[in-house]
Amino acid sequence: MSTLGAALPIRIRGIEKKYGPVTILQRLDLDVAAGEFLTLLGPSGSGKTTLLMILAGFVRPDAGSIKIGGDEIIAAPPHRRNIGMVFQNYALFPHMSVSQNIAFPLRQRRVPAADIVRRVTSALEMVRLNGYGERRINQLSGGQRQRVALARAMVFEPRIVLMDEPLSALDKGLREHMQLELRDLHRSLGMTTIYVTHDQREAITMSDRIAVMNGGAIEQIDRPEALYAHPRTHFVASFIGESSFIPVDIRDGVPWFRDAKLQTTARTSSSGRYLMSVRPEKVRLAAAGGDDGINILAGVMGDVIYQGDSFACSIDIGDGVKLTMRDYCREDTMARLPARGESIRVSIAASDAILVEAG
Amino acid sequence: MSRDADLPISHWSRLWLYCFGALILFFLIAPSVIVVVMSFSGSSFLQFPPQSWSLRWYTRYFESMEWREATGVSLKVAIMTTLVATPLGSAAAYAVNLKTLRYGNVALAVLVSAIIIPVILIGIGVFFLYARLGLNNTFTGLVIAHTALALPLVVMTVLAGLRSYDMDQERAARSLGATPLRAFIEVTMPQISLSIIAASLFAFITSFDEVVVSFFTSGGDMSTLSRRMFTSLRDEIDPTIAAISTCLIILSVILLSVAHLVGASRTRES
Ligand SMILES: Nc1ncnc2c1ncn2[C@@H]1O[C@H](COP(=O)(O)OP(=O)(O)O)[C@@H](O)[C@H]1O
Ligand SMILES: [Mg+2]
């Protein structure tokens, strides 16, 4: 298809939405760079769809401002916003053929008939559905419908593209395939995209940046690697990947778990109660004494759960605190694995010990 | 063989159910059959079974100025009622279905209430109201009253269609650049057209069949067919009304068959 116009940045400020007494979105700010693929990631009910509906113009916020490339659009009706939207259930028109579906936005814009034919053809090519133009929607598989929805949302060269859990109806294999396809499509067309999902793996695979939403607010927004390595809140640490949490007391800038002094490279405040968040693959069985920069904790070996390529075991480090340790199933590791109930020591590098706010 | 073994109850032990079903069908169909048969009677009063046969009651119906006028009034009122009630009721159903109206459910209850009020009360009420407004024995009056009676059916029928329609499609159309009106006409309407057609048939038949309100509010030149049939039944029991009824039954059968065929072909398409 023809190249998109220059991609535009989105600037969202102070968006607020209440349904009756219930606050759905609380004074939300968000900046999306031109050409960026940003994912809203959060559990069901965190307000992702509501935010997308506000952007598309179907829900009126109680306050706030939305600018696309400097234009305020908060008062514009949906059909004047020039935003391509892919709905969760695709919302294709069953009484029209594939071509008619894709031509729909062009007809609304009174594009000349010859141009419509040309642009529909290249849009079909873009999503690799050449020759499917005359099919009815109900003659298509789930993945093909997904592609038609995509082509229809992009054929009119919208200013930005919004997608609400577009892959959630597909089975796992197809979903992973479409994730890569969508990412490639975004790389080649470069449109500013806001993508919604509740699947953290999908978010990590596809996004330039991820905004983690919880209870109608953005808890943290960062690149996927940074989000995984440096979660700032308990919620983010547990929602993205797995984490174990050790409650620590900080005294004079030093974290303590019971009578053990711990080390971390994370910035600490001088006092207060925090949680030390540890990824399971960063926990190791410790040999003898600890070097500098390595935390050693005593514990009791718990159950081992085999998961094919890897195994996870839970280690009780006292006060009812359990650490999860994960490693690959290699013969040498498995052979050295302590028995259940054995006293052991584990090590966690100071650089893998992340502090997040308690609660 | 295995099919019979699978059945928890044999046909024989369900015989009572078949008999019961047949009895119900008999009571549903028998009155119509009797009317149709009587319409071909040769005698000059309603009689079953007829002693002789003729078509003269049909001739009388088609040749009588009075009957033809009444039929004309009924047709005009029914068509006008259909034209008013269908868009009004569809719009109301659409609004209620949006769920964004604060008092949507109250509005729905009011719209549908005409169904639970005894028609005779509506007839009396309309009569006194029209007496003040000067609407008795007028075309407008009949259309308004019949529209009120037809609205509940139209609203419920269209609402049923909208409930199985995915409103995201209309949102998609609007995000793709269609104004609300074009989104409705190009995307929503084609998909609920069956319900709208069914609703308009209901509106037509409601008006065409209506006796009670017409009895109170129509008379003279503005007598509807059903009202004249009712009066003639009282004054002169002759088989003309059996002939007319037979024509009405044929009309209903044709309308319903058309609706059914349209429905069947649509379903096959999708
Ligand atoms: N029209 C509405 N009226 C009342 N509450 C609503 C409405 N739409 C959404 N909500 C509520 O807003 C919250 C956020 O919903 P939603 O944006 O759909 O979340 P998500 O897409 O993240 O799952 C939910 O608790 C939901 O119940
Ligand atoms: Mg949602």
mmCIF file of all heavy atoms in Angstrom, chain A residues 17-20 22-25 41-53 59 88 164-165 196-198 213 216, chain B residues 99-100, ligand 1:
data_model
loop_
_atom_site.group_PDB
_atom_site.id
_atom_site.type_symbol
_atom_site.label_atom_id
_atom_site.label_comp_id
_atom_site.label_asym_id
_atom_site.label_seq_id
_atom_site.Cartn_x
_atom_site.Cartn_y
_atom_site.Cartn_z
ATOM 1 N N LYS A 17 -12.439 9.595 33.964
ATOM 2 C CA LYS A 17 -13.744 9.035 33.613
ATOM 3 C C LYS A 17 -14.370 8.380 34.830
ATOM 4 O O LYS A 17 -13.734 7.568 35.506
ATOM 5 C CB LYS A 17 -13.596 8.003 32.488
ATOM 6 C CG LYS A 17 -14.909 7.375 32.047
ATOM 7 C CD LYS A 17 -15.807 8.392 31.372
ATOM 8 C CE LYS A 17 -17.235 7.883 31.278
ATOM 9 N NZ LYS A 17 -18.147 8.934 30.796
ATOM 10 N N LYS A 18 -15.594 8.766 35.096
ATOM 11 C CA LYS A 18 -16.346 8.132 36.189
ATOM 12 C C LYS A 18 -17.635 7.570 35.624
ATOM 13 O O LYS A 18 -18.251 8.165 34.748
ATOM 14 C CB LYS A 18 -16.716 9.173 37.253
ATOM 15 C CG LYS A 18 -15.560 9.657 38.085
ATOM 16 C CD LYS A 18 -16.085 10.386 39.315
ATOM 17 C CE LYS A 18 -14.960 10.791 40.235
ATOM 18 N NZ LYS A 18 -14.755 12.236 40.294
ATOM 19 N N TYR A 19 -18.026 6.390 36.103
ATOM 20 C CA TYR A 19 -19.386 5.911 35.856
ATOM 21 C C TYR A 19 -20.103 5.964 37.189
ATOM 22 O O TYR A 19 -19.809 5.173 38.078
ATOM 23 C CB TYR A 19 -19.391 4.482 35.307
ATOM 24 C CG TYR A 19 -19.063 4.406 33.834
ATOM 25 C CD1 TYR A 19 -17.934 3.745 33.383
ATOM 26 C CD2 TYR A 19 -19.893 5.017 32.899
ATOM 27 C CE1 TYR A 19 -17.635 3.680 32.026
ATOM 28 C CE2 TYR A 19 -19.601 4.954 31.547
ATOM 29 C CZ TYR A 19 -18.478 4.289 31.120
ATOM 30 O OH TYR A 19 -18.196 4.234 29.784
ATOM 31 N N GLY A 20 -21.000 6.915 37.348
ATOM 32 C CA GLY A 20 -21.623 7.118 38.648
ATOM 33 C C GLY A 20 -20.532 7.466 39.645
ATOM 34 O O GLY A 20 -19.680 8.311 39.369
ATOM 35 N N VAL A 22 -18.157 5.508 40.574
ATOM 36 C CA VAL A 22 -16.959 4.687 40.381
ATOM 37 C C VAL A 22 -15.987 5.374 39.422
ATOM 38 O O VAL A 22 -16.344 5.711 38.301
ATOM 39 C CB VAL A 22 -17.332 3.307 39.800
ATOM 40 C CG1 VAL A 22 -16.127 2.386 39.829
ATOM 41 C CG2 VAL A 22 -18.497 2.709 40.559
ATOM 42 N N THR A 23 -14.762 5.567 39.876
ATOM 43 C CA THR A 23 -13.742 6.152 39.009
ATOM 44 C C THR A 23 -13.117 5.061 38.159
ATOM 45 O O THR A 23 -12.594 4.083 38.691
ATOM 46 C CB THR A 23 -12.660 6.844 39.849
ATOM 47 O OG1 THR A 23 -13.299 7.838 40.653
ATOM 48 C CG2 THR A 23 -11.638 7.518 38.950
ATOM 49 N N ILE A 24 -13.199 5.210 36.837
ATOM 50 C CA ILE A 24 -12.662 4.201 35.926
ATOM 51 C C ILE A 24 -11.252 4.588 35.473
ATOM 52 O O ILE A 24 -10.369 3.756 35.376
ATOM 53 C CB ILE A 24 -13.583 4.046 34.692
ATOM 54 C CG1 ILE A 24 -15.026 3.778 35.124
ATOM 55 C CG2 ILE A 24 -13.076 2.945 33.783
ATOM 56 C CD1 ILE A 24 -15.255 2.493 35.843
ATOM 57 N N LEU A 25 -11.061 5.880 35.204
ATOM 58 C CA LEU A 25 -9.730 6.382 34.838
ATOM 59 C C LEU A 25 -9.435 7.594 35.718
ATOM 60 O O LEU A 25 -10.265 8.484 35.852
ATOM 61 C CB LEU A 25 -9.692 6.814 33.361
ATOM 62 C CG LEU A 25 -9.852 5.701 32.323
ATOM 63 C CD1 LEU A 25 -9.898 6.300 30.924
ATOM 64 C CD2 LEU A 25 -8.720 4.695 32.424
ATOM 65 N N LEU A 41 -0.995 -2.488 28.948
ATOM 66 C CA LEU A 41 -1.052 -3.836 29.506
ATOM 67 C C LEU A 41 -1.672 -3.753 30.895
ATOM 68 O O LEU A 41 -1.264 -2.923 31.702
ATOM 69 C CB LEU A 41 0.367 -4.407 29.596
ATOM 70 C CG LEU A 41 0.532 -5.741 30.327
ATOM 71 C CD1 LEU A 41 -0.148 -6.865 29.565
ATOM 72 C CD2 LEU A 41 2.013 -6.059 30.532
ATOM 73 N N GLY A 42 -2.643 -4.584 31.154
ATOM 74 C CA GLY A 42 -3.240 -4.560 32.491
ATOM 75 C C GLY A 42 -4.279 -5.642 32.604
ATOM 76 O O GLY A 42 -4.751 -6.165 31.600
ATOM 77 N N PRO A 43 -4.651 -5.973 33.853
ATOM 78 C CA PRO A 43 -5.656 -7.023 34.029
ATOM 79 C C PRO A 43 -7.020 -6.547 33.538
ATOM 80 O O PRO A 43 -7.220 -5.356 33.298
ATOM 81 C CB PRO A 43 -5.667 -7.258 35.536
ATOM 82 C CG PRO A 43 -5.153 -5.994 36.118
ATOM 83 C CD PRO A 43 -4.201 -5.414 35.118
ATOM 84 N N SER A 44 -7.929 -7.483 33.409
ATOM 85 C CA SER A 44 -9.287 -7.162 32.971
ATOM 86 C C SER A 44 -9.922 -6.186 33.957
ATOM 87 O O SER A 44 -9.798 -6.348 35.160
ATOM 88 C CB SER A 44 -10.078 -8.469 32.906
ATOM 89 O OG SER A 44 -11.393 -8.191 32.575
ATOM 90 N N GLY A 45 -10.544 -5.150 33.439
ATOM 91 C CA GLY A 45 -11.195 -4.165 34.308
ATOM 92 C C GLY A 45 -10.305 -3.000 34.694
ATOM 93 O O GLY A 45 -10.713 -2.124 35.444
ATOM 94 N N SER A 46 -9.071 -2.950 34.156
ATOM 95 C CA SER A 46 -8.170 -1.873 34.567
ATOM 96 C C SER A 46 -8.407 -0.589 33.776
ATOM 97 O O SER A 46 -7.761 0.419 34.025
ATOM 98 C CB SER A 46 -6.713 -2.324 34.430
ATOM 99 O OG SER A 46 -6.459 -2.786 33.121
ATOM 100 N N GLY A 47 -9.309 -0.614 32.803
ATOM 101 C CA GLY A 47 -9.666 0.624 32.116
ATOM 102 C C GLY A 47 -9.052 0.770 30.734
ATOM 103 O O GLY A 47 -9.149 1.840 30.119
ATOM 104 N N LYS A 48 -8.450 -0.288 30.199
ATOM 105 C CA LYS A 48 -7.782 -0.199 28.902
ATOM 106 C C LYS A 48 -8.771 0.127 27.784
ATOM 107 O O LYS A 48 -8.558 1.039 26.990
ATOM 108 C CB LYS A 48 -7.069 -1.525 28.583
ATOM 109 C CG LYS A 48 -6.170 -2.024 29.688
ATOM 110 C CD LYS A 48 -5.487 -3.338 29.334
ATOM 111 C CE LYS A 48 -6.433 -4.503 29.118
ATOM 112 N NZ LYS A 48 -7.100 -4.978 30.342
ATOM 113 N N THR A 49 -9.866 -0.650 27.722
ATOM 114 C CA THR A 49 -10.850 -0.423 26.672
ATOM 115 C C THR A 49 -11.468 0.962 26.793
ATOM 116 O O THR A 49 -11.662 1.653 25.793
ATOM 117 C CB THR A 49 -11.949 -1.503 26.736
ATOM 118 O OG1 THR A 49 -11.346 -2.767 26.476
ATOM 119 C CG2 THR A 49 -13.033 -1.257 25.699
ATOM 120 N N THR A 50 -11.756 1.374 28.025
ATOM 121 C CA THR A 50 -12.339 2.697 28.234
ATOM 122 C C THR A 50 -11.424 3.780 27.665
ATOM 123 O O THR A 50 -11.881 4.690 26.973
ATOM 124 C CB THR A 50 -12.596 2.929 29.732
ATOM 125 O OG1 THR A 50 -13.398 1.862 30.224
ATOM 126 C CG2 THR A 50 -13.300 4.252 29.964
ATOM 127 N N LEU A 51 -10.120 3.675 27.932
ATOM 128 C CA LEU A 51 -9.177 4.669 27.414
ATOM 129 C C LEU A 51 -9.187 4.661 25.879
ATOM 130 O O LEU A 51 -9.209 5.717 25.238
ATOM 131 C CB LEU A 51 -7.765 4.393 27.950
ATOM 132 C CG LEU A 51 -6.678 5.357 27.467
ATOM 133 C CD1 LEU A 51 -7.047 6.792 27.817
ATOM 134 C CD2 LEU A 51 -5.327 4.999 28.076
ATOM 135 N N LEU A 52 -9.217 3.479 25.293
ATOM 136 C CA LEU A 52 -9.231 3.375 23.836
ATOM 137 C C LEU A 52 -10.522 3.973 23.262
ATOM 138 O O LEU A 52 -10.501 4.663 22.241
ATOM 139 C CB LEU A 52 -9.103 1.901 23.436
ATOM 140 C CG LEU A 52 -8.050 1.581 22.388
ATOM 141 C CD1 LEU A 52 -6.714 2.140 22.798
ATOM 142 C CD2 LEU A 52 -7.935 0.090 22.180
ATOM 143 N N MET A 53 -11.643 3.709 23.929
ATOM 144 C CA MET A 53 -12.931 4.242 23.481
ATOM 145 C C MET A 53 -12.948 5.768 23.578
ATOM 146 O O MET A 53 -13.585 6.441 22.771
ATOM 147 C CB MET A 53 -14.070 3.656 24.325
ATOM 148 C CG MET A 53 -14.387 2.218 23.966
ATOM 149 S SD MET A 53 -14.986 2.130 22.268
ATOM 150 C CE MET A 53 -15.128 0.393 22.033
ATOM 151 N N VAL A 59 -16.553 7.244 23.913
ATOM 152 C CA VAL A 59 -16.865 7.527 25.312
ATOM 153 C C VAL A 59 -16.358 8.940 25.595
ATOM 154 O O VAL A 59 -15.257 9.297 25.200
ATOM 155 C CB VAL A 59 -16.180 6.501 26.245
ATOM 156 C CG1 VAL A 59 -16.284 6.944 27.692
ATOM 157 C CG2 VAL A 59 -16.782 5.116 26.061
ATOM 158 N N GLN A 88 -11.909 -5.935 19.199
ATOM 159 C CA GLN A 88 -11.582 -7.251 19.744
ATOM 160 C C GLN A 88 -12.236 -8.372 18.945
ATOM 161 O O GLN A 88 -11.634 -9.384 18.660
ATOM 162 C CB GLN A 88 -12.046 -7.306 21.194
ATOM 163 C CG GLN A 88 -11.619 -8.554 21.917
ATOM 164 C CD GLN A 88 -11.757 -8.415 23.420
ATOM 165 O OE1 GLN A 88 -12.246 -7.411 23.915
ATOM 166 N NE2 GLN A 88 -11.332 -9.422 24.134
ATOM 167 N N ASP A 164 -7.695 -3.154 20.137
ATOM 168 C CA ASP A 164 -8.144 -3.646 21.437
ATOM 169 C C ASP A 164 -8.113 -5.170 21.471
ATOM 170 O O ASP A 164 -8.996 -5.823 20.920
ATOM 171 C CB ASP A 164 -9.559 -3.142 21.730
ATOM 172 C CG ASP A 164 -9.960 -3.385 23.173
ATOM 173 O OD1 ASP A 164 -9.140 -3.966 23.924
ATOM 174 O OD2 ASP A 164 -11.073 -2.998 23.553
ATOM 175 N N GLU A 165 -7.113 -5.729 22.091
ATOM 176 C CA GLU A 165 -6.944 -7.182 22.205
ATOM 177 C C GLU A 165 -7.277 -7.888 20.889
ATOM 178 O O GLU A 165 -8.114 -8.794 20.855
ATOM 179 C CB GLU A 165 -7.823 -7.737 23.325
ATOM 180 C CG GLU A 165 -7.670 -6.937 24.604
ATOM 181 C CD GLU A 165 -7.881 -7.758 25.862
ATOM 182 O OE1 GLU A 165 -7.849 -9.000 25.769
ATOM 183 O OE2 GLU A 165 -8.040 -7.165 26.928
ATOM 184 N N VAL A 196 -3.747 -2.810 22.882
ATOM 185 C CA VAL A 196 -4.212 -3.213 24.206
ATOM 186 C C VAL A 196 -4.139 -4.725 24.349
ATOM 187 O O VAL A 196 -4.525 -5.460 23.439
ATOM 188 C CB VAL A 196 -5.673 -2.764 24.439
ATOM 189 C CG1 VAL A 196 -6.290 -3.504 25.617
ATOM 190 C CG2 VAL A 196 -5.735 -1.266 24.664
ATOM 191 N N THR A 197 -3.601 -5.184 25.475
ATOM 192 C CA THR A 197 -3.621 -6.619 25.746
ATOM 193 C C THR A 197 -3.573 -6.852 27.251
ATOM 194 O O THR A 197 -3.189 -5.972 28.018
ATOM 195 C CB THR A 197 -2.447 -7.338 25.062
ATOM 196 O OG1 THR A 197 -2.543 -8.731 25.315
ATOM 197 C CG2 THR A 197 -1.115 -6.829 25.559
ATOM 198 N N HIS A 198 -4.005 -8.046 27.685
ATOM 199 C CA HIS A 198 -3.795 -8.398 29.086
ATOM 200 C C HIS A 198 -2.742 -9.497 29.189
ATOM 201 O O HIS A 198 -2.504 -10.039 30.249
ATOM 202 C CB HIS A 198 -5.109 -8.832 29.742
ATOM 203 C CG HIS A 198 -5.708 -10.060 29.124
ATOM 204 N ND1 HIS A 198 -6.726 -9.997 28.202
ATOM 205 C CD2 HIS A 198 -5.402 -11.364 29.262
ATOM 206 C CE1 HIS A 198 -7.025 -11.226 27.815
ATOM 207 N NE2 HIS A 198 -6.238 -12.069 28.436
ATOM 208 N N MET A 213 -1.174 -0.819 33.257
ATOM 209 C CA MET A 213 -2.330 -0.169 33.888
ATOM 210 C C MET A 213 -2.876 -1.026 35.010
ATOM 211 O O MET A 213 -2.914 -2.243 34.931
ATOM 212 C CB MET A 213 -3.440 0.066 32.859
ATOM 213 C CG MET A 213 -3.150 1.220 31.927
ATOM 214 S SD MET A 213 -4.558 1.603 30.861
ATOM 215 C CE MET A 213 -5.674 2.367 32.032
ATOM 216 N N GLY A 216 -7.253 1.792 36.716
ATOM 217 C CA GLY A 216 -7.547 3.054 36.046
ATOM 218 C C GLY A 216 -6.393 4.046 36.032
ATOM 219 O O GLY A 216 -6.573 5.219 35.720
ATOM 220 N N LYS B 99 -28.516 1.616 25.776
ATOM 221 C CA LYS B 99 -28.252 1.490 27.216
ATOM 222 C C LYS B 99 -27.581 2.729 27.792
ATOM 223 O O LYS B 99 -27.119 2.698 28.929
ATOM 224 C CB LYS B 99 -27.382 0.261 27.515
ATOM 225 C CG LYS B 99 -28.064 -1.033 27.142
ATOM 226 C CD LYS B 99 -27.192 -2.222 27.512
ATOM 227 C CE LYS B 99 -27.649 -3.471 26.828
ATOM 228 N NZ LYS B 99 -27.123 -3.560 25.467
ATOM 229 N N THR B 100 -27.484 3.793 27.016
ATOM 230 C CA THR B 100 -26.876 4.991 27.578
ATOM 231 C C THR B 100 -27.943 5.928 28.141
ATOM 232 O O THR B 100 -27.624 6.896 28.812
ATOM 233 C CB THR B 100 -26.060 5.756 26.519
ATOM 234 O OG1 THR B 100 -26.872 5.904 25.362
ATOM 235 C CG2 THR B 100 -24.803 5.003 26.152
HETATM 236 N N1 LIG C 1 -20.714 1.742 30.322
HETATM 237 C C1 LIG C 1 -20.204 1.418 31.520
HETATM 238 N N2 LIG C 1 -20.912 1.657 32.653
HETATM 239 C C2 LIG C 1 -20.402 1.346 33.858
HETATM 240 N N3 LIG C 1 -19.196 0.804 34.065
HETATM 241 C C3 LIG C 1 -18.431 0.547 32.991
HETATM 242 C C4 LIG C 1 -18.891 0.832 31.659
HETATM 243 N N4 LIG C 1 -17.907 0.477 30.799
HETATM 244 C C5 LIG C 1 -16.908 -0.022 31.547
HETATM 245 N N5 LIG C 1 -17.211 0.018 32.861
HETATM 246 C C6 LIG C 1 -16.332 -0.414 33.967
HETATM 247 O O1 LIG C 1 -15.083 0.205 33.791
HETATM 248 C C7 LIG C 1 -14.046 -0.644 34.229
HETATM 249 C C8 LIG C 1 -12.980 -0.715 33.163
HETATM 250 O O2 LIG C 1 -13.511 -1.388 32.056
HETATM 251 P P1 LIG C 1 -12.665 -1.619 30.719
HETATM 252 O O3 LIG C 1 -12.164 -0.303 30.253
HETATM 253 O O4 LIG C 1 -13.504 -2.398 29.803
HETATM 254 O O5 LIG C 1 -11.464 -2.484 31.255
HETATM 255 P P2 LIG C 1 -10.461 -3.430 30.437
HETATM 256 O O6 LIG C 1 -10.615 -3.160 28.984
HETATM 257 O O7 LIG C 1 -9.115 -3.044 30.956
HETATM 258 O O8 LIG C 1 -10.811 -4.822 30.822
HETATM 259 C C9 LIG C 1 -14.685 -1.984 34.544
HETATM 260 O O9 LIG C 1 -14.753 -2.104 35.942
HETATM 261 C C10 LIG C 1 -16.049 -1.890 33.928
HETATM 262 O O10 LIG C 1 -16.966 -2.611 34.700
#
